[in-house]
């Protein structure tokens, strides 16, 4: 196939492809599967058909120059890895007659040009309106993970102002659908969880009725040296919770009951790491800390983890 010129990210109008390849060349490229149809008058280079930017460019060609990429698609184009960019979500003004199709969901509504930026040549909601959009529309876990990821990418001093901007956008939007969820999740988002899984654990804890923990809580020794940073902590009760991605460590809460720390087994056969982990664990226990752990299975079946944490918190309150 002759090298196509023009287009964007491997998305082309039928006119662009025909001008570059000629009628016969275009027919051959389609028949050979080198170009595939995305919608009426829009083609994709087959070798780029799974690229979110290619599909977003194709959606923009279908929806028109006044359209804007929104929701999770906008989040992915801003670099967010916590949500999926598929299907492509795009907003068009009310006067535009564009229908959703496989792989593309059309949302009709006003397009505020002050909320639009260009990313890789594509019109995308800028970060604050994008996050407000995602918080309202994505799953609770995906939305919180995206909010934490966006905040984590900002300098810490800039985070309060950004959160306030998102809150103001939510309050000012005349369409209040999903706003309650968005406000609740924005209140939990800090940028401190280090992965989507940690954001999900935080949501599980709060939705289970547990007090909101502190994230990435530092524990220091008497000289002010950092002993350990706990993923989640209730420092007033000296209870911590760490999330471990290693599925071999799931559901092992008996380690706490038996007086050992999860860190005792978290290092495999590496003696130096194991000794260091045991030392930190012993130091924490000597300071009255009780550290539990969670794993991927707890995100699928969180009841046991939440129940055990409630029991431990109740025991600590009674002992206080």
């Amino acid at each position: 196939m002759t090298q196509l010129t023009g287009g964007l990210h491997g998305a082309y109008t039928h006119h662009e492809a025909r001008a570059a390849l000629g009628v016969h060349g275009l027919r051959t490229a389609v028949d050979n599967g080198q170009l595939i149809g995305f919608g009426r008058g829009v083609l994709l280079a087959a070798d780029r058909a799974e690229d979110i930017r290619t599909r977003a460019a194709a959606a923009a060609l279908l929806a028109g120059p006044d359209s804007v990429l929104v929701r999770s698609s906008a989040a992915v184009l801003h670099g967010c890895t916590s949500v999926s960019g598929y299907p492509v979500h795009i907003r068009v003004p009310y006067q535009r007659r564009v229908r959703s199709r496989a792989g593309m969901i059309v949302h009709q509504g006003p397009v505020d040009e002050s909320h639009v930026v260009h990313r890789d040549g594509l019109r995308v909601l800028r970060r604050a309106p994008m996050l407000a959009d995602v918080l309202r529309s994505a799953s609770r876990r995906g939305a919180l993970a995206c909010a934490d990821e966006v905040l984590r990418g900002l300098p810490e001093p800039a985070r309060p102002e950004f959160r306030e901007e998102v809150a103001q956008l939510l309050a000012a939007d005349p369409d209040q659908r999903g706003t309650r969820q968005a406000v609740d999740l924005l209140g939990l988002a800090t940028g401190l969880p280090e992965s989507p899984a940690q954001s999900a654990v935080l949501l599980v804890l709060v939705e289970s009725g547990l007090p909101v923990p502190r994230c990435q809580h530092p524990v220091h020794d008497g000289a002010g040296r950092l002993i350990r940073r706990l993923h989640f902590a209730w420092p007033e009760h000296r209870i911590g919770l760490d999330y471990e991605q290693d599925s071999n460590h799931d559901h092992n809460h008996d380690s706490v009951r038996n007086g050992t720390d999860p860190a005792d087994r978290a290092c495999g056969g590496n003696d130096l790491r194991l000794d260091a982990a045991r030392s930190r664990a012993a130091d924490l226990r000597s300071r009255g800390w009780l550290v539990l752990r969670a794993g991927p299975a707890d995100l699928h079946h969180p009841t046991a983890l939440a129940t055990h944490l409630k029991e431990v918190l109740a025991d600590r309150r009674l002992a206080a």
Side-chain angles (χ1 to χ4, degrees):
M1 181 176 74
T2 302
Q3 183 66 38
L4 278 171
T5 58
L8 180 63
H9 301 299
Y12 307 92
T13 65
H14 188 275
H15 175 75
E16 288 171 332
R18 185 175 59 189
L21 302 176
V23 174
H24 177 73
L26 174 57
R27 184 180 299 116
T28 300
V30 172
D31 290 344
N32 290 342
Q34 294 170 300
L35 287 175
I36 58 177
F38 182 81
R40 186 175 181 180
V42 177
L43 299 164
L44 303 179
D47 60 353
R48 300 187 62 176
E50 299 304 314
D51 189 313
I52 179 58
R53 286 165 180 78
T54 303
R55 288 187 170 269
L61 288 174
L62 276 178
D66 50 0
S67 61
V68 60
L69 293 153
V70 297
R71 299 197 179 191
S72 56
S73 301
V76 171
L77 291 168
H78 276 287
C80 184
T81 62
S82 306
V83 291
S84 170
Y86 301 105
V88 175
H89 289 267
I90 196 161
R91 185 184 300 163
V92 300
Y94 286 117
Q95 64 268 24
R96 294 279 298 168
R97 300 284 184 173
V98 184
R99 292 183 178 180
S100 298
R101 58 170 303 282
M104 170 180 161
I105 298 178
V106 175
H107 306 273
Q108 287 194 301
V111 176
D112 186 336
E113 290 299 320
S114 70
H115 291 174
V116 178
V117 295
H118 286 81
R119 302 280 296 188
D120 298 327
L122 298 165
R123 283 166 53 86
V124 182
L125 283 184
R126 62 181 178 85
R127 274 187 306 186
M130 173 277 290
L131 185 56
D133 208 21
V134 168
L135 288 170
R136 275 192 299 246
S137 60
S139 70
R140 290 177 64 82
R141 287 191 183 183
L144 180 59
C146 183
D148 276 329
E149 187 173 359
V150 170
L151 288 169
R152 192 162 60 246
L154 297 175
E156 193 168 344
R159 294 175 189 176
E161 183 178 350
F162 180 82
R163 285 163 51 93
E164 180 59 28
E165 182 182 1
V166 175
Q168 289 177 3
L169 288 167
L170 290 169
D173 196 320
D175 184 355
Q176 288 291 294
R177 287 175 295 180
T179 299
R180 177 175 294 182
Q181 167 180 293
V183 171
D184 289 346
L185 295 176
L186 183 62
L188 286 178
T190 60
L192 295 175
E194 297 173 330
S195 67
Q198 288 188 21
S199 295
V201 171
L202 174 61
L203 191 59
V204 161
L205 297 175
V206 174
E207 290 182 340
S208 298
L210 287 155
V212 179
R214 296 186 186 178
C215 299
Q216 304 302 328
H217 180 71
V219 181
H220 299 92
D221 64 16
R225 294 184 294 262
L226 181 67
I227 301 171
R228 187 166 166 187
R229 195 175 297 276
L230 300 168
H231 293 157
F232 308 98
W234 294 265
E236 63 275 24
H237 304 296
R238 291 185 181 264
I239 295 173
L241 175 69
D242 275 342
Y243 179 83
E244 297 175 15
Q245 187 62 43
D246 186 346
S247 61
N248 292 329
H249 297 156
D250 293 345
H251 287 310
N252 203 340
H253 306 307
D254 288 340
S255 61
V256 178
R257 295 191 183 98
N258 294 336
T260 61
D261 190 277
D264 290 352
R265 291 185 303 279
C267 300
N270 188 315
D271 291 340
L272 290 177
R273 290 178 61 200
L274 183 59
D275 288 345
R278 284 175 172 165
S279 176
R280 289 193 301 270
D283 201 347
L284 283 169
R285 285 197 300 273
S286 72
R287 298 173 190 283
W289 278 90
L290 193 60
V291 181
L292 290 78
R293 62 177 171 173
D298 293 299
L299 293 178
H300 295 289
H301 305 286
T303 303
L305 173 65
T307 299
H308 187 55
L309 272 166
K310 289 176 182 178
E311 291 172 353
V312 170
L313 281 166
D315 290 344
R316 288 276 168 135
R317 289 190 187 105
L318 289 173

